Amino acid sequence: MSIQVFGIPVSRGVAIGRAVLVASSRVDVAHYFVAVEQVPQEIDRLRVARDVVAGELELLKRELPAEAPHELAALLDVHLMLLHDETLSDATKVWISERHYNAEWALSAQLEVLARQFDEMEDAYLRERKADVEQVVERLLRVMGGSSPGPSTLAPGAQKQARDFAGEDPLVLVASDVAPADMMQFKRSVFTGFVTDVGGRTSHTAIVARSMDIPAVVGAREASRLIRQDDWVIIDGDAGLVLVNPSPIVLEEYRFRQRQSELERARLNRLRHTPAVTLDGQAVELLANIELPGDGPAALEAGAVGVGLFRSEFLFMNRNGDLPGEDEQFEAYRDAVLALQGLPVTIRTVDIGADKPLERMSAQELRHEHGLNPALGLRAIRWSLAEPGMFRQQLRAILRASAFGKVRILVPMVAHLGEVKLIFEALARAQHQLEEAGRAFSRVEVGAMIEVPAAALMIDRFLRHFDFVSIGTNDLIQYTLAIDRADEAVAHLYDAWHPAVLHLLQHSIDTANRLGKSVCVCGEMAGDVAFTELLLAMGLRSFSMHPARIASIKQRVLRADTRTLSAVLRTVLEADDPAAALKAALAAHGGG
Ligand code: PEP
Ligand code: MG
């Protein structure tokens, strides 16, 4: 039966593929294809893991103390039985031999199928046995964890070959939620699109989806319950629509749209090396937002003239409390700097907290775990100042990378002037430590992110200390409107066009320009063509966004005339509906 699910469009384009359902807790399982000749080896890994787990369970049973309740022994028997049950072992082998999934992926795919079957059982006792299957699979995955050859051991091109063997169907990921740290896994994965039940437009999961440039819909509420493993799914990333098992005619229409957007992409790509200059000769700087040093080449390839935001926190995530040391960080920053070949790289100090916890936890789990609102808690610079040793270590690592190119430091979520003093004290100490150790570094500019209304209102005071500012509109909107950016329940109220947001933006850009300090917007607004003219009208000349967005924004810049735009700004800002007012003004002037 074909169904439609509505959600929030977060990453443009159309993806068509078979659904792979992944439980939130299982997203960190490696997903890759194995080459046909590796299939027997992969099935063998499964068999070895099963034997090891059987041995563990037998041993546990034997060593149960005499006084242990007999239910415990019975439970171990149930686990042993499930372990050998063919609905687990045989079906998992089929995912490997027919789909060429790696063993862990095959196992978690089968767990999803079984979990559904258990959920649908009438009998409460049987329904609860789902937890037992999960525990058995958990054990198997833990045992296999040590033996995974991983996709990286495949020769270059082998992933693609393996993919071809696996059949022609592309795959899309369907999950209740994906933690930001797990999204990094998908950067290297096989999925051509994804859908989640929770999340908002600027939740970090959505941001990473955009950086991967794959169509995505979040906040689709019931999607992971309504969609089944292997269903055909169309993800319409422009409309926020998910079509499940569509009719052939609908499928054909979407295939057509897919081809059209590929053509459009190829056309835009030709602008890659064209300088971004408006019709009236205003040069506009288009920078890239990156998450890992490996994103550097893509930034250059997209025509970025530097990195405006390197979200360093992704280096810190998912490490079981083992944070990257100074040398490891230094190498990552240096690699990014070298990849940019002399262009500036703005490294933001860690923005841990809120919907980016250190450990793998989705926003939903976070809310469950903590109850408090983490967005208002110990995050970003607050966390860094609470961990001074860690903060200085990061500053030293960034400073050392400055010996290899042009580096700027950006501090997230500055809200209080008291923080400024502590930041510069930490920097001075880090510099002193490096001098003492005889380490090379250059002078670096230090900037503040303007993402809390308090900082936007008092930007002139902050600019007495900082060399530049970068406006984080994702958070600025969240904090101005009191809307959790990761909460799909209030996503409809998250409004970048809200006059209060526009007022803060205009005030920040204006003040920085007046004081002769450089100002950039690095929130998602910078990469959204709906706001290009507005930001240009406000006097913004530096935009930082995901590399994949640069070509579209450049096209808008090339067609804009900032004289016309600044002439209509006042009318737009005073309108009740600024979006409509801008549209009307542009139409009246025959474009930008
Ligand atoms: C922002 O808040 O706009 C921003 C760029 O930072 P992040 O999205 O990482 O919070
Ligand atoms: Mg932010």
Side-chain angles (χ1 to χ4, degrees):
M1 191 190 56
S2 90
I3 47 171
Q4 296 186 353
V5 187
F6 292 90
I8 303 162
V10 292
S11 186
R12 286 155 208 265
V14 171
I16 303 174
R18 283 198 186 271
V20 174
L21 274 120
V22 182
S24 305
S25 56
R26 290 265 74 87
V27 215
D28 60 331
V29 164
H31 294 80
Y32 57 92
F33 292 107
V34 294
V36 72
E37 60 275 19
Q38 273 186 315
V39 165
Q41 189 188 330
E42 210 58 13
I43 292 180
D44 215 41
R45 285 181 58 227
L46 194 66
R47 188 190 49 72
V48 170
R50 198 192 51 205
D51 292 349
V52 172
V53 172
E56 284 176 2
L57 293 172
E58 296 285 4
L59 185 71
L60 272 173
K61 231 176 84 178
R62 273 201 307 279
E63 293 191 345
L64 272 185
E67 63 278 14
H70 82 277
E71 285 90 349
L72 223 55
L75 194 69
L76 290 172
D77 280 333
V78 169
H79 283 198
L80 273 165
M81 190 197 76
L82 289 169
L83 184 69
H84 294 291
D85 194 295
E86 60 191 36
T87 51
L88 186 64
S89 51
D90 289 4
T92 302
K93 279 185 214 153
V94 172
W95 290 110
I96 301 176
S97 55
E98 290 184 8
R99 291 296 180 82
H100 295 210
Y101 289 2
N102 61 303
E104 292 87 344
W105 180 5
L107 200 52
S108 50
Q110 188 53 23
L111 173 64
E112 279 307 306
V113 173
L114 295 176
R116 286 289 171 109
Q117 291 172 1
F118 278 105
D119 283 342
E120 283 163 11
M121 283 177 184
E122 300 272 319
D123 184 299
Y125 173 82
L126 286 177
R127 232 180 8 248
E128 279 163 23
R129 300 283 63 78
K130 178 172 115 177
D132 295 311
V133 185
E134 283 169 346
Q135 284 167 22
V136 169
V137 169
E138 195 64 52
R139 278 182 179 275
L140 285 165
L141 288 171
R142 194 172 31 74
V143 169
M144 279 192 293
S147 66
S148 169
S152 52
T153 59
L154 292 178
Q159 267 291 295
K160 177 166 180 326
Q161 274 170 29
R163 178 74 196 83
D164 295 342
F165 282 125
E168 58 291 344
D169 300 343
L171 301 173
V172 299
L173 176 95
V174 181
S176 170
D177 197 3
V178 184
D182 288 330
M183 282 302 295
M184 304 315 285
Q185 294 262 25
F186 293 126
K187 281 210 172 197
R188 295 177 288 269
S189 87
V190 294
F191 300 108
T192 58
F194 72 87
V195 186
T196 61
D197 296 350
V198 305
R201 226 194 110 62
T202 59
S203 60
H204 285 94
T205 304
I207 289 178
V208 182
R210 273 195 289 281
S211 78
M212 291 156 65
D213 200 22
I214 63 171
V217 170
V218 303
R221 304 289 178 101
E222 299 277 86
S224 74
R225 199 181 57 77
L226 296 170
I227 302 172
R228 291 175 176 264
Q229 198 82 336
D230 250 10
D231 275 350
W232 272 102
V233 172
I234 297 175
I235 300 174
D236 182 340
D238 298 301
L241 178 64
V242 182
L243 297 147
V244 189
N245 294 326
S247 65
I249 187 139
V250 171
L251 201 59
E252 197 34 56
E253 168 63 22
Y254 271 94
R255 287 204 196 285
F256 174 75
R257 277 186 48 189
Q258 217 175 14
R259 285 192 294 274
Q260 293 295 101
S261 64
E262 271 153 25
L263 287 175
E264 170 69 7
R265 210 175 278 223
R267 199 177 58 73
L268 279 176
N269 251 346
R270 291 203 287 271
L271 293 178
R272 226 173 31 236
H273 301 300
T274 309
V277 180
T278 62
L279 288 175
D280 56 320
Q282 295 281 321
V284 177
E285 182 180 53
L286 301 183
L287 301 160
N289 290 356
I290 64 171
E291 272 99 34
L292 291 171
D295 298 337
L300 270 192
E301 181 59 21
V305 296
V307 167
L309 173 65
F310 176 173
R311 289 184 161 98
S312 70
E313 54 274 14
F314 284 92
L315 296 172
F316 286 65
M317 289 182 189
N318 239 1
R319 304 174 56 110
N320 296 321
D322 166 34
L323 300 185
E326 180 178 327
D327 286 345
E328 185 183 338
Q329 285 190 58
F330 156 67
E331 282 163 21
Y333 305 143
R334 181 204 52 200
D335 289 352
V337 170
L338 292 176
L340 265 287
Q341 301 173 5
L343 296 173
V345 177
T346 309
I347 303 172
R348 179 171 75 179
T349 60
V350 280
D351 186 0
I352 285 296
D355 71 330
K356 286 181 289 192
L358 275 179
E359 297 314 325
R360 186 168 52 73
M361 224 187 252
S362 64
Q364 202 182 35
E365 284 166 331
L366 253 175
R367 284 199 291 268
H368 269 265
E369 284 271 309
H370 299 287
L372 303 168
N373 187 338
L376 300 181
L378 194 66
R379 71 168 279 204
I381 188 59
R382 300 170 181 182
W383 188 72
S384 295
L385 291 176
E387 301 277 344
M390 187 281 313
F391 187 41
R392 278 196 306 277
Q393 190 181 54
Q394 179 168 37
L395 292 173
R396 287 195 302 272
I398 301 176
L399 286 168
R400 283 170 58 190
S402 73
F404 294 82
K406 192 166 182 318
V407 169
R408 308 199 305 170
I409 295 178
L410 180 60
V411 187
M413 221 190 152
V414 179
H416 202 284
L417 284 163
E419 290 161 346
V420 180
K421 188 166 165 281
L422 296 174
I423 291 163
F424 283 97
E425 277 172 10
L427 185 65
R429 245 185 103 186
Q431 284 167 332
H432 181 69
Q433 287 169 332
L434 289 179
E435 277 159 6
E436 297 259 282
R439 298 267 194 202
F441 64 95
S442 310
R443 198 197 105 66
V444 292
E445 291 190 344
V446 184
M449 283 199 73
I450 302 297
E451 42 189 356
V452 177
L457 290 168
M458 293 290 117
I459 189 170
D460 55 338
R461 306 278 179 89
F462 286 96
L463 278 173
R464 288 180 193 162
H465 309 277
F466 289 102
D467 301 305
F468 67 98
V469 284
S470 193
I471 309 176
T473 46
N474 306 336
D475 278 314
L476 188 61
I477 299 167
Q478 149 165 279
Y479 294 125
T480 304
L481 303 180
I483 300 295
D484 187 334
R485 60 195 265 197
D487 186 351
E488 69 287 354
V490 284
H492 60 292
L493 298 171
Y494 185 94
D495 179 15
W497 288 102
H498 192 294
V501 172
L502 301 189
H503 176 83
L504 290 175
L505 260 172
Q506 151 86 104
H507 174 70
S508 304
I509 296 169
D510 233 22
T511 311
N513 283 340
R514 189 165 42 75
L515 296 174
K517 298 269 173 126
S518 91
V519 50
C520 177
V521 168
C522 63
E524 295 298 296
M525 268 175 105
D528 186 338
V529 289
F531 298 101
T532 313
E533 284 88 2
L534 177 80
L535 293 171
L536 287 170
M538 287 179 172
L540 189 77
R541 298 293 179 265
S542 175
F543 296 61
S544 192
M545 67 204 82
H546 295 299
R549 301 296 315 137
I550 290 180
S552 305
I553 299 295
K554 192 182 282 180
Q555 186 182 47
R556 297 297 271 234
V557 168
L558 294 173
R559 292 173 181 173
D561 184 326
T562 63
R563 291 164 306 189
T564 318
L565 290 172
S566 20
V568 301
L569 181 65
R570 182 147 298 284
T571 321
V572 173
L573 290 181
E574 283 172 7
D576 284 343
D577 183 347
L582 179 64
K583 215 166 161 191
L586 290 180
H589 285 87

